[in-house]
Amino acid sequence: MSDAKKFMFVNRKAPYGTIYALESLEVVLITAAFDQDVSLAFLDDGVYQLKKGQQTKGIETKNFSPAYRALEDYDIEKLYVEKEAMTARGLTEEDFLVPVTVLGRAEMGKLMDEQDVVLSF
Amino acid sequence: MLHIINKSPLTSVTLDTCLNTAAGGDILLIEDGVYAATRGSAAEAQLRAAMGKFKVHVLMPDLEARGLGDRLMDGVSAVDYGGFVDLTSNNKTCQSWL
Amino acid sequence: MKYGIVVNEGPYQHQASDSAYLFAKAAIEKGHEVWRVFFYHDGVHNASKLTEPPQDDRHIVNRWAKLAEEHKVDLVVCVAAALRRGIKEDNLAQGFRISGLGQLVEAGIKCDRLVTFGD
């Protein structure tokens, strides 16, 4: 692990309206197999990806949100939500389907600066 | 770190979020992001205020393509694609704020 | 320096593929190596050999293929994203290859810089 790179996936887009959130998650799951230091950041509408209770039957689309719960099984446990984005959307930590670390903007910015590879989709 | 912005500041919060969140470094405006660097736009003051924290660059071919090559605001450095490459090599990481 | 490039949007619809190409060309001109370009999301449409732009327009697909041939750039199309969108070996343009998402992660690990172009 000593030569592992710090990978951060920055998610700023809501689910279902576009495919970015789903396909971003697919990359995250693959990255887990490469023994890298992976973290996920949720900013802007990206925080909606983690909302509990997604019911997609009516739009005839697969509900992929349970996959966020599976991240833990892949040893991906660093999920960061930007506080300002969360509160601007009327959400609290209790609204999310997985445990997350809530960070203020400045802390989030600092964390981004520490990464080796930043991917956003 | 290099932050790459490709959205107009008048239709997207991308530039706002970057300016509010990022710890500093270089910002490069490309594609529709270049509108943020034009004199007289509603985003001018916001970008000017950020100049203490960030060094702001604009991809000139994108600004020229949009007919605004002569409206570049002071304090923003103009780069070509070669300059874009240099910005990525001079920074350890780059983030495209998509 | 060794570069990896990610293209997340299709050709013509969005400027991303043009920006990525011009960036790659400039990087090579400066003596850098563009090791791999990874096409993801609608970016997989950059690899369709059925693409026929008007004669007075740039041919985005062929332009990538030519760059790859001249400078040994590995053009990789994500298999999952491609199959979803109807891109397969049958209609894959010359110079591209279809492979897994691991190729993107590998580019992140092996390249000095990874630059993403998208929406």
Side-chain angles (χ1 to χ4, degrees):
Chain A
M1 280 294 280
S2 60
D3 56 350
K5 280 191 172 181
K6 282 174 173 284
F7 273 73
M8 175 179 268
F9 293 88
V10 178
N11 300 285
R12 295 182 49 244
K13 293 177 178 137
Y16 309 114
T18 57
I19 198 172
Y20 299 105
L22 167 62
E23 288 190 329
S24 171
L25 193 56
E26 290 180 347
V27 185
V28 171
L29 294 171
I30 297 289
T31 307
F34 283 79
D35 281 337
Q36 304 297 303
D37 180 354
V38 177
S39 45
L40 276 66
F42 297 87
L43 285 77
D44 291 330
D45 282 350
V47 302
Y48 286 131
Q49 293 178 24
L50 299 175
K51 177 70 181 65
K52 266 183 204 162
Q54 296 175 28
Q55 303 283 346
T56 61
K57 209 174 160 201
I59 60 168
E60 299 190 10
T61 301
K62 185 179 163 190
N63 177 4
F64 65 93
S65 65
Y68 292 101
R69 282 199 212 102
L71 290 174
E72 203 184 355
D73 303 332
Y74 291 83
D75 291 324
I76 295 173
E77 287 162 346
K78 296 179 186 170
L79 276 66
Y80 302 99
V81 167
E82 191 181 76
K83 185 167 184 280
E84 288 80 354
M86 178 179 79
T87 53
R89 284 159 184 78
L91 300 175
T92 66
E93 276 185 76
E94 284 71 53
D95 288 308
F96 299 135
L97 43 79
V98 282
V100 300
T101 304
V102 177
L103 296 179
R105 278 168 173 162
E107 293 169 289
M108 185 66 91
K110 189 167 170 284
L111 192 65
M112 283 174 171
D113 251 14
E114 293 165 4
Q115 304 300 314
D116 297 310
V117 180
V118 181
L119 278 163
S120 57
F121 298 106
Chain B
M1 186 177 209
L2 172 65
H3 302 277
I4 303 168
I5 307 280
N6 74 338
K7 301 285 190 312
S8 163
L10 302 175
T11 55
S12 160
V13 298
T14 302
L15 179 65
D16 277 330
T17 303
C18 173
L19 294 179
N20 288 329
T21 303
D26 287 301
I27 289 179
L28 174 64
L29 304 165
I30 70 167
E31 300 172 358
D32 288 350
V34 301
Y35 291 118
T38 56
R39 270 198 316 275
S41 96
E44 184 177 357
Q46 182 194 20
L47 196 62
R48 192 166 297 289
M51 282 179 183
K53 188 174 167 191
F54 299 95
K55 173 95 182 87
V56 184
H57 313 264
V58 68
L59 189 62
M60 210 53 192
D62 276 337
L63 193 65
E64 285 167 348
R66 288 160 176 79
L68 292 160
D70 60 349
R71 302 273 174 92
L72 179 60
M73 60 187 268
D74 298 338
V76 175
S77 92
V79 299
D80 58 9
Y81 281 94
F84 182 175
V85 172
D86 291 341
L87 281 167
T88 61
S89 60
N90 294 339
N91 281 280
K92 193 185 79 146
T93 39
C94 65
Q95 175 177 2
S96 297
W97 288 74
L98 303 180
Chain C
M1 247 175 205
K2 191 172 183 149
Y3 275 86
I5 293 174
V6 187
V7 179
N8 290 334
E9 294 298 327
Y12 305 104
Q13 172 81 17
H14 192 284
Q15 204 185 336
S17 184
D18 290 294
S19 298
Y21 170 79
L22 293 168
F23 178 88
K25 202 162 69 114
I28 290 165
E29 278 164 10
K30 284 195 166 268
H32 298 294
E33 176 195 1
V34 176
W35 184 62
R36 177 172 292 161
V37 182
F38 191 85
F39 297 90
Y40 196 41
H41 300 292
D42 272 2
V44 299
H45 291 300
N46 283 285
S48 169
K49 77 171 174 194
L50 303 175
T51 307
E52 281 182 42
Q55 286 209 339
D56 60 352
D57 199 356
R58 71 231 186 271
H59 198 304
I60 293 180
V61 177
N62 292 354
R63 201 172 60 173
W64 275 120
K66 186 163 174 279
L67 188 81
E69 193 187 353
E70 289 172 359
H71 302 282
K72 294 194 169 44
V73 181
D74 188 17
L75 304 179
V76 182
V77 180
C78 169
V79 61
L83 291 180
R84 239 178 215 137
R85 294 166 175 86
I87 302 288
K88 46 217 283 190
E89 297 293 345
D90 301 347
N91 57 346
L92 189 71
Q94 205 177 355
F96 293 81
R97 65 185 182 93
I98 295 179
S99 190
L101 271 174
Q103 305 274 307
L104 168 57
V105 184
E106 190 191 23
I109 294 170
K110 290 198 174 163
C111 293
D112 301 304
R113 299 289 184 270
L114 190 66
V115 187
T116 305
F117 294 88
D119 188 40

